Amino acid sequence: MTIQWFPGHMTRARRQIEDKLKLIDVAIELLDARIPLSSRNPMVDDILQGKPRLVLLNKADLADPAITAEWVQYFADQGLKALPMDASTGTGIKEILPRCKELLSHKIEAQLRKGINPRAIRALIVGIPNVGKSTLINQLAGRKIANTGDKPGVTKGQQWIKFGTDMDLLDTPGILWPKFDDQNVGMKLAATGAIKEEILHLDDIAFHTIRYMIDYYGERLMDRFGIGDLPEDTENPNEVIEVMETIGRKRGCIVSGGRVDLDKTSLLFLRELRSGKLGRVSLEVPPEY
């Protein structure tokens, strides 16, 4: 299955970001801590044109903490500051403004030496759909300003949001890129909910994700779904499908004739993965690890 999702408003959003870039002091790039590389738009480097950048690893409460620590070091090696956080609970939120001021310290100090009182930091927030931008904005504001939802594509336009006297934040719609050269990227994005389910074959997404979990988080599957044994050869698709059918039978996803409803099973599995009921799971590690 080939996964692509690039609605027209994403093209407009890119043009709008580029138009506003001259007003921006710092960019806040929001990634999914479970898939930091796959949730990173490869066009962003070109779009931001070298602006100082803070990377936020959102949904860190759902990611494997040991793997997240490796990602923080990975970004540090790239010359980028990365901050694990959880926009839904507010964990890590208070560190965002100090980190942005640190990135702009030379500019702020130069203004102070000239006797200029630094104005509010103008920050741009960018990220793919459903990565938590609107939730983050509402946490920063302490009230609901931006629309949120558990489906991608909620934010459709730009808006400036003022946070006290220290920061003005430009919210933008989530932007994917026109083509996934690596379909594994598309699978990971789909598994974490960044692509609309209506255009997906959920059984394919669940199949690939369960195969990964058998290899790296097998005990989570066994504990959560009461599975006795897992296959050793995940390259054999029949073995993985057998695990999917076991999950379906354990959860009552049965159709007439006693067959397992793989569509219902897949939806159930993905919902439990996304909600953290399978524990803290990271679906990729830094390239050098």
Side-chain angles (χ1 to χ4, degrees), residues 14 35 48 54 225 237 255 283:
R14 172 173 180 164
I35 52 168
L48 296 182
L54 173 64
F225 299 111
V255 295
L283 296 180

Side-chain angles (χ1 to χ4, degrees), residues 62 94 117 123 148 166 172 187 197 204 221-222 226:
L62 298 175
K94 292 182 179 179
N117 189 28
T148 62
D166 292 317
T172 62
M187 288 290 178
E197 288 183 352
D204 284 343
L221 289 175
M222 295 170 71

